[in-house]
Amino acid sequence: MAIYNAIMAFTNWMWTFPILALLIGGGLVITVACDFVQIKHFGYMLKATFGDAAHSKSEEGISSWSAMVATLANTIGTGNIIGVGSAIALGGPGAVFWMWVTALIGSSTAFVEATLAQIYKEKDPVYGGYRGGPAYYMHRFIQEKRGGKKKRYVGISVLFAISGLICWCGISQVISNSVTSAFHNAFSVPPLYTTIVLVALAAVIIFRKTATVKVLDVLVPVMAGCYFLITVILICMNFSALPGVFSRIFEEAFGIRQAVAGGLGTVVMNGVKRGLFSNEAGSGSAPCAAAAAESDQPVKLGLTQAL
């Protein structure tokens, strides 16, 4: 019990100042170092995504478009519905503003993550195609810093891989729980039946990677289009409430009342934490999808992921 309490205390502390410093501070450093790529090169992002990537083909890996689709599949829905809902429930409307800030700054982080993943990707001997991500380029960085001598294991890469596995198992549980709860509440489908279907889908994902990507290529654009259309319809239906909505978001994001009550930190932290859950920039999972893609220029894929 003491060990559990110590782990929980450390986890809660990590999700306060350290995560804020790493996500926002690190993102700002990258933004300046990359000359505000998400603002200055927004037009190139659109071209790389809807021009080059949308028509890209792949002989060995997956296409740039498929890599972006795989990332969107993991964020639209769970990240943007549960993430935003949780942020508002726990931090109030002001948390939405800090989600925007996290997304804008995180765009440059996503750009660097995906570009590095492309540069240092390796052939995948198990599935074919390519594999990579933060563990791979951290391994190469440490290896080069130590004179280029090949090393089988690098401590920080192994730690990232293990931590990522634990983290993504937890996220998968959140997603699975949300799906089973939704089907049970909306259609009275027993959780056991939904679980069996999810396990079967997981088996397909593990053993037939390209089949999953092909399905996502069809489903995700439809899902994203419906999500966007429904959002626009809801905004139009409640258009008269928009001034009040924006006013409350900005008031509570910098509110004196929250600062005096000691709640400003809660607003900021929930916005940042749920922002990470919503856009994944900095979590290290999106670069793994980016590494699997085949692209003639790593920067193009970086721009696609940044958008």
Side-chain angles (χ1 to χ4, degrees), residues 84-139:
V84 178
S86 301
I88 294 172
L90 297 172
V96 175
F97 173 82
W98 295 106
M99 291 187 77
W100 294 339
V101 171
T102 305
L104 182 62
I105 295 173
S107 186
S108 60
T109 305
F111 167 73
V112 171
E113 284 182 319
T115 304
L116 286 173
Q118 268 290 298
I119 294 171
Y120 294 108
K121 67 186 179 184
E122 298 177 0
K123 292 276 188 177
D124 189 341
V126 179
Y127 291 109
Y130 301 98
R131 66 185 183 186
Y136 287 80
Y137 56 72
M138 285 191 293
H139 180 103

Side-chain angles (χ1 to χ4, degrees), residues 119-178:
I119 294 171
Y120 294 108
K121 67 186 179 184
E122 298 177 0
K123 292 276 188 177
D124 189 341
V126 179
Y127 291 109
Y130 301 98
R131 66 185 183 186
Y136 287 80
Y137 56 72
M138 285 191 293
H139 180 103
R140 290 282 290 276
F141 175 77
I142 297 296
Q143 192 172 268
E144 289 169 11
K145 289 287 282 184
R146 293 178 178 174
K149 185 180 178 181
K150 286 198 171 183
K151 296 177 70 68
R152 187 169 185 184
Y153 301 111
V154 171
I156 191 170
S157 298
V158 174
L159 181 61
F160 177 87
I162 294 172
S163 301
L165 183 62
I166 295 170
C167 174
W168 298 325
C169 284
I171 291 173
S172 298
Q173 290 175 7
V174 171
I175 296 171
S176 302
N177 182 63
S178 301

Side-chain angles (χ1 to χ4, degrees), residues 4-304:
Y4 171 79
N5 291 334
I7 292 172
M8 289 304 297
F10 176 75
T11 303
N12 291 333
W13 174 78
M14 278 295 297
W15 276 104
T16 52
F17 177 76
I19 202 71
L20 184 66
L22 289 169
L23 281 179
I24 302 299
L28 283 172
V29 171
I30 294 171
T31 298
V32 174
C34 293
D35 198 25
F36 297 88
V37 62
Q38 69 269 54
I39 298 170
K40 289 188 176 181
H41 300 291
F42 186 74
Y44 287 107
M45 286 185 189
L46 293 173
K47 184 177 182 296
T49 303
F50 299 107
D52 299 336
H55 301 98
S56 64
K57 302 291 182 183
S58 174
E59 298 297 327
E60 295 186 69
I62 62 176
S63 67
S64 302
W65 174 261
S66 296
M68 185 192 70
V69 161
T71 305
L72 285 175
N74 201 33
T75 56
I76 296 177
T78 305
N80 285 328
I81 295 175
I82 298 173
V84 178
S86 301
I88 294 172
L90 297 172
V96 175
F97 173 82
W98 295 106
M99 291 187 77
W100 294 339
V101 171
T102 305
L104 182 62
I105 295 173
S107 186
S108 60
T109 305
F111 167 73
V112 171
E113 284 182 319
T115 304
L116 286 173
Q118 268 290 298
I119 294 171
Y120 294 108
K121 67 186 179 184
E122 298 177 0
K123 292 276 188 177
D124 189 341
V126 179
Y127 291 109
Y130 301 98
R131 66 185 183 186
Y136 287 80
Y137 56 72
M138 285 191 293
H139 180 103
R140 290 282 290 276
F141 175 77
I142 297 296
Q143 192 172 268
E144 289 169 11
K145 289 287 282 184
R146 293 178 178 174
K149 185 180 178 181
K150 286 198 171 183
K151 296 177 70 68
R152 187 169 185 184
Y153 301 111
V154 171
I156 191 170
S157 298
V158 174
L159 181 61
F160 177 87
I162 294 172
S163 301
L165 183 62
I166 295 170
C167 174
W168 298 325
C169 284
I171 291 173
S172 298
Q173 290 175 7
V174 171
I175 296 171
S176 302
N177 182 63
S178 301
V179 172
T180 53
S181 297
F183 273 93
H184 179 67
N185 294 332
F187 308 109
S188 299
V189 177
L192 178 61
Y193 296 165
T194 310
T195 303
I196 292 171
V197 172
L198 290 175
V199 170
L201 286 173
V204 172
I205 290 170
I206 293 170
F207 296 111
R208 295 292 301 275
K209 182 183 69 171
T210 54
T212 307
V213 169
K214 287 175 183 177
V215 172
L216 290 179
D217 279 351
V218 176
L219 285 182
V220 171
V222 175
M223 175 184 70
C226 292
Y227 185 94
F228 184 76
L229 182 62
I230 291 169
T231 303
V232 171
I233 291 171
L234 288 171
I235 290 172
C236 292
M237 289 173 63
N238 298 277
F239 192 77
S240 60
L242 279 185
V245 169
F246 281 105
S247 174
R248 191 166 177 193
I249 287 173
F250 285 106
E251 280 178 8
E252 297 205 12
F254 303 99
I256 296 175
R257 177 173 63 84
Q258 285 76 17
V260 171
L264 186 58
T266 303
V267 174
V268 175
M269 286 312 307
N270 275 289
V272 172
K273 287 192 290 186
R274 304 300 168 177
L276 172 64
F277 190 40
S278 178
N279 59 57
E280 288 202 345
S283 69
S285 55
C288 296
E294 192 173 334
S295 179
D296 57 342
Q297 293 182 18
V299 171
K300 283 184 180 178
L301 201 101
L303 291 170
T304 300

